[in-house]
Amino acid sequence: MQFMLLFSRQGKLRLQKWYVPLSDKEKKKITRELVQTVLARKPKMCSFLEWRDLKIVYKRYASLYFCCAIEDQDNELITLEIIHRYVELLDKYFGSVCELDIIFNFEKAYFILDEFLLGGEVQETSKKNVLKAIEQADLLQEVKKVIFKNKSFVT
Amino acid sequence: MAKSGSSGTGGRGKGHSKSKEAEIKRINKELANIRSKFKGDKALDGYSKKKYVCKLLFIFLLGHDIDFGHMEAVNLLSSNKYTEKQIGYLFISVLVNSNSELIRLINNAIKNDLASRNPTFMCLALHCIANVGSREMGEAFAADIPRILVAGDSMDSVKQSAALCLLRLYKASPDLVPMGEWTARVVHLLNDQHMGVVTAAVSLITCLCKKNPDDFKTCISLAVSRLSRIVSSASTDLQDYTYYFVPAPWLSVKLLRLLQCYPPPEDAAVKGRLVECLETVLNKAQEPPKSKKVQHSNAKNAILFETISLIIHYDSEPNLLVRACNQLGQFLQHRETNLRYLALESMCTLASSEFSHEAVKTHIDTVINALKTERDVSVRQRAADLLYAMCDRSNAKQIVSEMLRYLETADYAIREEIVLKVAILAEKYAVDYSWYVDTILNLIRIAGDYVSEEVWYRVLQIVTNRDDVQGYAAKTVFEALQAPACHENMVKVGGYILGEFGNLIAGDPRSSPPVQFSLLHSKFHLCSVATRALLLSTYIKFINLFPETKATIQGVLRAGSQLRNADVELQQRAVEYLTLSSVASTDVLATVLEEMPPFPERESSILAKLKRKKGPGAGSALDDGRRDPSSNDINGGVEPTPSTVSTPSPSADLLGLRAAPPPAAPPASSGAGNLLVDVFSDGPAAQPSLGPTPEEAFLSELEPPAPESPMALLADPAPAADPGPEDIGPPIPEADELLNKFVCKNNGVLFENQLLQIGVKSEFRQNLGRMYLFYGNKTSVQFQNFSPTVVHPGDLQTHILPLAVQTKRVAAQVDGGAQVQQVLNIECLRDFLTPPLLSVRFRYGGAPQSLTLKLPVTINKFFQPTEMAAQDFFQRWKQLSLPQQEAQKIFKANHPMDAEVTKAKLLGFGSALLDNVDPNPENFVGAGIIQTKALQVGCLLRLEPNAQAQMYRLTLRTSKEPVSRHLCELLAQQF
């Protein structure tokens, strides 16, 4: 995987993870183009598209789009399930996760992603193992975290 | 900004911009706060440091630039508290820059954590290396990580992170990762108890084995046995590694990917076991689903598609290939769009296998139907790809006609590609060439704009080479040209073919020579220069083919519109062809204008184009091995020959239109001309390299502008709007930047490249202005046909010209090293937003040059400064309090914030500067009136610098909404 982007229906970037070296300018350009392309697509369209020489796999959960760029030989369907597993991990950790959780606890979203995917490859697919690593860290944390209880976007 | 107060700035923009502005304001306040905390005397405790670093990160992720806090983040790395360390690492991962000092400190902290033997700390450090993945990190750690990966006492989680960390470093700089005895032990991680370790290790091995397949060969049997265990396990065996009743889907897909790095296993037992696995996967696809959830079917099908990829990769098991094809056939009609898309994509590769090609072909109707009915363009695109891949002699006519039909409604984005594909298929599978000719002419008719040169060159090449189709081609183009509106490409093809083979249909009175000629000539005036040049060549060929047309054609060539054509190429052809037809004997004519010799057989240039468009492998279905990569151009063999221009040789020249050099060109200038065209196209890069003249020096050489020079007196004043804006090219990319330099000044160098320098001197009074443009020829060669023109696009909706610009013509020749001057009289009739365009065209060494700039006339040039007392100013400010009368911008300083410079710029902008008005002496306040013939626009402005944040806030209030906004934009770019 080359990168993963999370953005809202309004096109606001909520999380970005880049697994290939790119300049800030390129990242911004890619993000802008891709957000535009994906938001322009209709709901029933397929989740894959060709974009430059990459394959884009995306899925919408409530107000958030999860969008991954993979290479030519990579498997689209399993990438779709990478997205879903990540959503499940967020959901389990935050308890009915919503966009606000990711905005205000962005660091947790990044930590969970790092446990799940590293260098663009799946590192650990077991939900238990990923969350064990994160919760261990939370035990050490001094401050209580604030979680916004809103509507869940896991369907 | 926080300190700049809000007196008198009420009622700003509404809605989105307001919230955006509020956000920026809050963020700047917060940044200032964090900066002061970091700079404060009191040392921050770890918790506060973490809090502020985290805030900075948050601000960065909102899309704002962060230029401090790196040091504090690095400090957090050495904290003993996990969460502090974690935030430090996150900041570094997201925001690291190649500040070498910092990298050294970061590497040091990572080194400590890697050595700490605390698995959580080790993992954090490894994640950081994997996320940054820079060469510096590779140099520091690439040698250590393999050791951590295979150490007996490393925890599973550490091994997982180490494997993928190493993968990232290897991808970034493979030379830094030393191969060694650890590689054998990495392969054995495929046997590891822990599924997570296996999952991470497979990715690493897949990447490493591509470069060193022999070193990792043992992974094949290990991968097969691991895969076999997963595939045959019950859905609950693997506990948490089962995903919606599918055992270890990610690991399965990765193992199947790894196997695709190698040919089929040599060991019969291993191979047997693998084939069993593949069959099991295919069998499972037929079983009823264990869950209705889409996750279940996606995971299951992900494995199925990867299995099919492996089967296609092996391309050796006919039975499996056909089963795969049938399975994909089922998916072609699945209700899930995603599956239909993937089935079409996967079938494309199956079509190229000899074992499954026929099986794929049986689905042709479904695929054609998909092309017609799919609602998603990306799916239709896949269907078109598959049709192209499954095409062969047996179904070519059907597929080509379906694709032609699709072309009529196809999305614009993919039309060119479809055109190329149709052209290739029509050529490759043409049994009779009349079908081929029909197809290409249909392409031009349906999608003429998308038919590239390669396509129509190719049809000419084929018609020239096959005498059995020439008569048919002539008849068909003749008929096609009779359509009232036909595409220019049709005229080109028609002109060429009739010029060569028009005699083959001349016997029919309906297409007698005069009819052919008048048909072609009826299109002549609607065509571009290139096409007209081609038609002139056709005409001279007609004189040879049909002597009875000679008088008519000579009449056409002799017409003033040809002989004195402004285009040198057309003029030259007309002159030479006319002379040739009068001077040369019939024999000479017949020799010079003989039919074109056959073209050498080459790879279709269309195929080359498709490959360039789609990347390698795109044309694989058509690779016949007769490939010549050096020839992209059908006319590759036709070189321009400057020395023999006086004897026109249309037979060699017909398609090489662009390469024909002009008569007066000195030897070798045509090469230089091409070079200079390039110079023009990347203007700024080439700009400073050759003899940069300092601005001052250039201007001091200018003679004092004489309002009415003798030359100008003789020339008639040319109306400004003479050539319509459509005749002028778009402004060069840096035109806006150049324009910006002149917003606050009136004199200077507007443009400079290796050939030409354009200087500007201007003065403005009330609503009138006079501008002197100085064109300097920097070369030693004369510029010819030198013609600078000024147009003002005006307001497209109202067609009211806001500016009246009178220009005087300048001499058409500019000698080498000389300078000519042009005077412009400008009157501002009403307010305007876009500046006029200055288009300069000339020929240099025979090559046409053209360049379009924005003329430095902006609305602020018509400013009349107005002095007023503080009281008056505030009163007027309040009068202009409607939201649309105000424009405001907050922006970062691009130049050092110097009060004197700012003052000079504001004065140059045109407004008066008012002292003692703003309570804050740091702020600037100005007032003025924009003078136009139709109306006057009063303007007030206020500029508030914030030195601490290196920002400005600029507010403009005028009585006219677009003027406020426009002035604000113009001025904001100056600081």
Side-chain angles (χ1 to χ4, degrees), chain B residues 24 36 119 129 197 318 385 415 434 508 576 583 694 697 791 808 825 846 885 895 941 974:
Chain B
I24 292 175
S36 72
I129 302 173
V197 173
D385 285 350
R415 280 195 183 184
S434 53
D508 188 328
E576 290 177 358
V583 177
V791 293
K808 310 246 161 127
N825 288 317
Q885 289 174 326
H895 302 285
L941 71 86
Q974 302 299 317

Short mmCIF file of all heavy atoms in Angstrom, two decimals, chain B residues 24 36 119 129 197 318 385 415 434 508 576 583 694 697 791 808 825 846 885 895 941 974:
data_model
loop_
_atom_site.label_atom_id
_atom_site.label_comp_id
_atom_site.label_asym_id
_atom_site.label_seq_id
_atom_site.Cartn_x
_atom_site.Cartn_y
_atom_site.Cartn_z
N ILE B 24 -8.26 30.31 11.65
CA ILE B 24 -6.88 30.77 11.52
C ILE B 24 -6.51 31.66 12.70
O ILE B 24 -5.43 31.54 13.28
CB ILE B 24 -6.70 31.54 10.18
CG1 ILE B 24 -6.83 30.56 9.03
CG2 ILE B 24 -5.37 32.25 10.13
CD1 ILE B 24 -6.79 31.21 7.67
N SER B 36 5.41 30.66 23.22
CA SER B 36 5.87 31.34 24.43
C SER B 36 6.12 30.35 25.55
O SER B 36 7.03 30.50 26.35
CB SER B 36 4.86 32.41 24.85
OG SER B 36 3.72 31.77 25.37
N PRO B 119 10.06 -4.39 25.26
CA PRO B 119 9.45 -4.62 23.94
C PRO B 119 8.56 -3.47 23.47
O PRO B 119 8.55 -3.16 22.28
CB PRO B 119 8.62 -5.90 24.14
CG PRO B 119 8.61 -6.17 25.59
CD PRO B 119 9.75 -5.46 26.23
N ILE B 129 11.11 4.10 12.70
CA ILE B 129 12.01 3.87 11.56
C ILE B 129 11.18 3.51 10.32
O ILE B 129 11.40 4.02 9.22
CB ILE B 129 13.01 2.74 11.85
CG1 ILE B 129 13.83 3.07 13.10
CG2 ILE B 129 13.93 2.51 10.66
CD1 ILE B 129 14.72 1.93 13.56
N VAL B 197 3.41 -13.14 13.31
CA VAL B 197 4.80 -13.14 12.87
C VAL B 197 4.88 -13.64 11.43
O VAL B 197 5.56 -13.05 10.59
CB VAL B 197 5.67 -14.01 13.80
CG1 VAL B 197 7.07 -14.15 13.23
CG2 VAL B 197 5.70 -13.43 15.20
N PRO B 318 -4.20 -26.43 -17.82
CA PRO B 318 -5.40 -26.07 -18.61
C PRO B 318 -6.68 -26.25 -17.81
O PRO B 318 -7.57 -25.40 -17.86
CB PRO B 318 -5.34 -27.05 -19.78
CG PRO B 318 -3.93 -27.49 -19.87
CD PRO B 318 -3.36 -27.41 -18.50
N ASP B 385 -11.40 -2.88 -22.14
CA ASP B 385 -10.09 -3.53 -22.10
C ASP B 385 -10.20 -5.02 -22.41
O ASP B 385 -9.39 -5.59 -23.14
CB ASP B 385 -9.46 -3.39 -20.70
CG ASP B 385 -8.94 -1.99 -20.45
OD1 ASP B 385 -8.89 -1.21 -21.41
OD2 ASP B 385 -8.59 -1.68 -19.30
N ARG B 415 -12.00 8.34 -24.64
CA ARG B 415 -12.22 8.25 -26.09
C ARG B 415 -10.93 8.00 -26.87
O ARG B 415 -10.90 7.18 -27.78
CB ARG B 415 -12.86 9.53 -26.61
CG ARG B 415 -14.34 9.54 -26.33
CD ARG B 415 -15.03 10.59 -27.15
NE ARG B 415 -16.43 10.57 -26.77
CZ ARG B 415 -17.35 11.32 -27.35
NH1 ARG B 415 -17.01 12.15 -28.30
NH2 ARG B 415 -18.60 11.24 -26.96
N SER B 434 -10.66 -3.08 -47.29
CA SER B 434 -11.72 -2.09 -47.42
C SER B 434 -12.43 -1.94 -46.06
O SER B 434 -12.82 -0.84 -45.67
CB SER B 434 -12.70 -2.51 -48.50
OG SER B 434 -13.14 -3.82 -48.26
N ASP B 508 -15.35 8.05 -63.43
CA ASP B 508 -16.76 8.26 -63.13
C ASP B 508 -17.05 9.76 -63.21
O ASP B 508 -16.41 10.56 -62.52
CB ASP B 508 -17.05 7.74 -61.70
CG ASP B 508 -18.52 7.77 -61.38
OD1 ASP B 508 -19.24 8.66 -61.88
OD2 ASP B 508 -18.95 6.87 -60.62
N GLU B 576 6.21 28.21 -55.04
CA GLU B 576 7.02 27.16 -55.67
C GLU B 576 6.18 26.26 -56.57
O GLU B 576 6.60 25.90 -57.67
CB GLU B 576 7.72 26.34 -54.59
CG GLU B 576 8.82 27.15 -53.91
CD GLU B 576 9.49 26.40 -52.79
OE1 GLU B 576 9.08 25.26 -52.52
OE2 GLU B 576 10.43 26.96 -52.21
N VAL B 583 6.99 26.09 -65.19
CA VAL B 583 8.32 25.94 -65.76
C VAL B 583 8.60 24.51 -66.21
O VAL B 583 9.11 24.26 -67.30
CB VAL B 583 9.39 26.39 -64.74
CG1 VAL B 583 10.78 26.17 -65.31
CG2 VAL B 583 9.18 27.83 -64.35
N PRO B 694 20.96 43.64 -16.05
CA PRO B 694 20.30 44.16 -14.86
C PRO B 694 19.24 45.18 -15.27
O PRO B 694 19.40 45.90 -16.27
CB PRO B 694 21.42 44.84 -14.07
CG PRO B 694 22.69 44.50 -14.75
CD PRO B 694 22.37 43.95 -16.10
N ALA B 697 20.38 48.84 -15.78
CA ALA B 697 21.22 49.07 -16.95
C ALA B 697 20.35 49.14 -18.20
O ALA B 697 20.53 49.98 -19.06
CB ALA B 697 22.24 47.96 -17.09
N VAL B 791 -4.52 42.97 -26.97
CA VAL B 791 -5.96 42.77 -26.97
C VAL B 791 -6.45 42.79 -25.54
O VAL B 791 -5.72 42.46 -24.61
CB VAL B 791 -6.39 41.43 -27.60
CG1 VAL B 791 -6.08 41.41 -29.06
CG2 VAL B 791 -5.76 40.27 -26.87
N LYS B 808 0.46 51.80 -31.70
CA LYS B 808 1.03 52.14 -33.00
C LYS B 808 1.79 50.92 -33.48
O LYS B 808 2.47 50.25 -32.68
CB LYS B 808 1.98 53.32 -32.85
CG LYS B 808 1.34 54.47 -32.07
CD LYS B 808 1.12 55.67 -32.91
CE LYS B 808 0.11 56.59 -32.28
NZ LYS B 808 0.54 57.94 -32.11
N ASN B 825 -1.49 54.16 -25.91
CA ASN B 825 -2.32 55.13 -25.19
C ASN B 825 -3.50 54.39 -24.61
O ASN B 825 -4.20 53.65 -25.31
CB ASN B 825 -2.79 56.23 -26.13
CG ASN B 825 -1.65 57.15 -26.49
OD1 ASN B 825 -0.85 57.51 -25.62
ND2 ASN B 825 -1.54 57.50 -27.75
N GLY B 846 13.73 31.71 -39.09
CA GLY B 846 12.74 30.91 -39.80
C GLY B 846 11.72 30.26 -38.87
O GLY B 846 10.68 29.85 -39.32
N GLN B 885 -18.95 45.42 0.52
CA GLN B 885 -18.03 46.51 0.17
C GLN B 885 -16.64 46.26 0.74
O GLN B 885 -15.68 46.92 0.38
CB GLN B 885 -18.57 47.84 0.71
CG GLN B 885 -19.80 48.29 -0.07
CD GLN B 885 -20.44 49.51 0.53
OE1 GLN B 885 -20.44 49.70 1.75
NE2 GLN B 885 -21.00 50.35 -0.32
N HIS B 895 8.03 38.55 2.28
CA HIS B 895 9.26 39.33 2.26
C HIS B 895 9.50 39.80 3.69
O HIS B 895 8.58 39.81 4.50
CB HIS B 895 9.11 40.53 1.33
CG HIS B 895 8.77 40.16 -0.08
ND1 HIS B 895 9.68 39.63 -0.95
CD2 HIS B 895 7.59 40.18 -0.75
CE1 HIS B 895 9.09 39.38 -2.11
NE2 HIS B 895 7.82 39.68 -2.01
N LEU B 941 -8.06 51.78 2.58
CA LEU B 941 -7.39 50.51 2.88
C LEU B 941 -6.67 50.59 4.20
O LEU B 941 -6.30 51.68 4.68
CB LEU B 941 -6.43 50.13 1.75
CG LEU B 941 -5.13 50.89 1.53
CD1 LEU B 941 -4.03 50.35 2.40
CD2 LEU B 941 -4.74 50.76 0.07
N GLN B 974 1.87 41.53 -2.72
CA GLN B 974 3.06 42.37 -2.79
C GLN B 974 3.93 42.29 -1.54
O GLN B 974 5.02 42.83 -1.53
CB GLN B 974 2.65 43.83 -3.02
CG GLN B 974 1.84 44.05 -4.28
CD GLN B 974 2.60 43.63 -5.52
OE1 GLN B 974 3.78 43.92 -5.67
NE2 GLN B 974 1.94 42.91 -6.41
#
